Amino acid sequence: FYSLKSSLSKPQMMVVAELDDPFVPLPDELLVNLKDSRTVVDNLLDSLPDMFASASMPDSAMGPALQAAFLVMQHVGGKLLLFQAALPNMGIGKVKIRDVISQYGTDREHEMRQPGEAFYKRYAAECSRVQITVDVFAFALTHMDLASLAGLPRYTCGDLHHYPGFNGQRDNDKLAAEVLHNLSRPTAWEAVMRIRCSKGLRIRCSK
């Protein structure tokens, strides 16, 4: 977590090591008005590359991080952007490597295309209930079980952006353009659509 209060000269990092029951350290100070805290937010974004340039920890506790983000946002709703570059393998929502080469071309290949972890669909349902949209940016250098992660944007009306074998020189412009579009496009929440048709007609959803 980062406190981004406008009164700070630089972001304040807070680490929560609890995976089984994550909590929010400063419930009232983690969401800020961008106009008021723009300098602190820019400071954080500029410093992130250097802060984690030497990070080599391959483990990822994505599920607990999502739960914590939900606790922060649930009273206001909005847009949650998830940037993920590793297989979630710690805490709730951890998944296994299911990309089995020997199953390609067999009658079991379809199993690898189905979600392997139910947490993400349940989480997406909770997000949808409080008007939170989840957009996923997946930087897959190795297997990430996108079949499971795809439930997050699918059931919250979000987007999944996949960058297989992410390469900064090749993909930076694409990533920057898609993030800019994501944050600047018009977005509406809590919309309801009703479709009525004449008696005797049937509506069927096809994909």
Side-chain angles (χ1 to χ4, degrees):
F1 296 92
Y2 292 92
S3 176
L4 302 171
K5 292 189 301 182
S6 58
S7 59
L8 296 174
S9 59
K10 61 180 181 180
Q12 178 184 358
M13 178 190 287
M14 294 159 287
V15 178
V16 176
E18 178 61 56
L19 297 183
D20 296 328
D21 189 19
F23 61 91
V24 179
L26 296 174
D28 300 325
E29 298 182 7
L30 296 178
L31 291 180
V32 297
N33 185 295
L34 179 59
K35 183 178 180 180
D36 296 337
S37 300
R38 183 59 183 262
T39 301
V40 187
V41 172
D42 287 344
N43 188 322
L44 172 62
L45 295 176
D46 291 339
S47 63
L48 282 176
D50 293 332
M51 291 170 59
F52 298 100
S54 60
S56 59
M57 177 66 72
D59 295 323
S60 171
M62 191 182 83
L66 287 172
Q67 288 181 314
F70 180 86
L71 293 176
V72 174
M73 299 178 60
Q74 62 178 332
H75 66 291
V76 293
K79 183 184 289 287
L80 170 61
L81 271 62
L82 169 66
F83 296 85
Q84 184 69 14
L87 182 77
N89 61 355
M90 296 180 65
I92 191 169
K94 65 181 179 181
V95 297
K96 299 178 181 179
I97 296 178
R98 301 191 298 131
D99 191 26
V100 182
I101 297 179
S102 61
Q103 291 186 6
Y104 282 95
T106 69
D107 57 0
R108 297 190 59 188
E109 181 177 352
H110 72 280
E111 296 177 3
M112 297 186 291
R113 314 292 179 238
Q114 301 298 321
E117 172 55 55
F119 163 76
Y120 298 103
K121 185 175 181 179
R122 295 196 305 268
Y123 179 85
E126 286 298 301
C127 287
S128 181
R129 180 178 60 82
V130 294
Q131 287 79 49
I132 294 177
T133 292
V134 184
D135 295 312
V136 178
F137 292 80
F139 308 90
L141 296 177
T142 59
H143 174 72
M144 291 180 61
D145 196 2
L146 288 179
S148 295
L149 272 58
L152 294 171
R154 178 180 182 184
Y155 297 108
T156 62
C157 296
D159 295 322
L160 171 62
H161 300 271
H162 183 212
Y163 306 85
F166 180 80
N167 179 283
Q169 292 183 339
R170 181 192 65 205
D171 299 322
N172 270 353
D173 290 343
K174 182 176 185 289
L175 171 61
E178 291 182 340
V179 172
L180 176 62
H181 174 70
N182 188 295
L183 295 176
S184 60
R185 65 184 175 182
T187 305
W189 282 271
E190 300 188 56
V192 177
M193 180 176 69
R194 291 185 174 89
I195 300 177
R196 295 182 174 89
C197 63
S198 302
K199 184 178 181 180
L201 297 179
R202 178 182 300 176
I203 298 175
R204 183 176 62 183
C205 177
S206 61
K207 297 182 179 180

